[in-house]
Amino acid sequence: MSATTLAELAAVQQLTTRDGLTLDVRSAFAEDEALLENFFEKVSAEDRRFRFLAASKHVGHDQLVPLTHVDHWRTESFLAFERHSGALVASAMLACDAAMDTGEIAVSIRNDFRCRGIGWTMLDLIAEEAAKRGLKRVISIEDRDNHAAIELEREKGFVAHGIDGDPHLVMLEKSF
């Protein structure tokens, strides 16, 4: 008999995107590192650059540890699986400051699942989780060239601000 993993025991939320795609969403755990490594191979190079704010052909261990070794309160990492195929299609993260006032968010979507409402759904989930934790606001740091994410976040009520000293980045903020 094999040992049960945390991922197998994790609570799963079923969410439906505005396009009707059904997602099973759960927290990420240490044993999900290889799964996430494979997922990021299916995220466009540009979207990987936007997510990690650095160009990289491969997302490796050092970048994956913060997504898989979380305390599930101050920091939460979500994995969204397309229900029909079981494919990992999105990764989303909420990382709160020590005062539990502000949470930084990040979302990545597999290239072949873009434009299907997954970004909207994951942002709604993160906002709900931020509210449960009593946060006053969430922020997202975006490359100014990431027009799709900036537009999506604006549609979800985020307000854009410049970042002093870095003309290439913009901070989007949503207050609760």
Side-chain angles (χ1 to χ4, degrees), residues 12-171:
V12 175
Q13 292 183 62
Q14 185 176 323
L15 304 174
T16 303
T17 70
R18 64 183 184 169
D19 288 3
L21 186 68
T22 302
L23 303 174
D24 289 328
V25 181
R26 68 165 173 82
S27 296
F29 297 94
E31 66 243 28
D32 291 316
E33 185 172 329
L35 181 66
L36 271 166
E37 184 175 15
N38 186 12
F39 163 77
F40 279 110
E41 294 298 319
K42 296 174 179 141
V43 171
S44 74
E46 182 177 58
D47 284 346
R48 281 194 308 272
R49 180 175 66 83
F50 290 151
R51 171 73 183 262
F52 297 101
L53 298 177
S56 68
K57 292 183 181 191
H58 178 75
V59 176
H61 177 73
D62 290 345
Q63 293 160 307
L64 294 169
V65 166
L67 303 179
T68 57
H69 292 75
V70 298
D71 66 9
H72 304 289
W73 179 251
R74 182 164 285 134
T75 304
E76 184 60 272
S77 180
F78 295 101
L79 303 179
F81 300 86
E82 194 270 326
R83 174 160 273 212
H84 176 71
S85 67
L88 177 58
V89 298
S91 166
M93 184 154 206
L94 172 66
C96 305
D97 64 2
M100 294 298 288
D101 288 328
T102 301
E104 186 174 346
I105 65 167
V107 176
S108 294
I109 300 167
R110 209 170 98 167
N111 204 37
D112 55 336
F113 278 85
R114 291 178 51 98
C115 300
R116 297 189 61 191
I118 297 171
W120 275 75
T121 302
M122 298 309 287
L123 283 176
D124 286 344
L125 172 66
I126 290 173
E128 186 178 299
E129 290 295 323
K132 282 182 193 175
R133 288 162 172 78
L135 300 181
K136 294 181 176 111
R137 70 184 186 142
V138 290
I139 62 169
S140 176
I141 307 299
E142 302 290 355
D143 185 299
R144 286 189 184 274
D145 291 336
N146 193 353
H147 302 290
I150 292 168
E151 181 60 30
L152 171 65
E153 290 166 7
R154 282 185 168 158
E155 288 174 11
K156 296 304 273 176
F158 286 72
V159 176
H161 308 280
I163 295 179
D164 290 338
D166 196 330
H168 302 289
L169 299 177
V170 61
M171 180 180 77

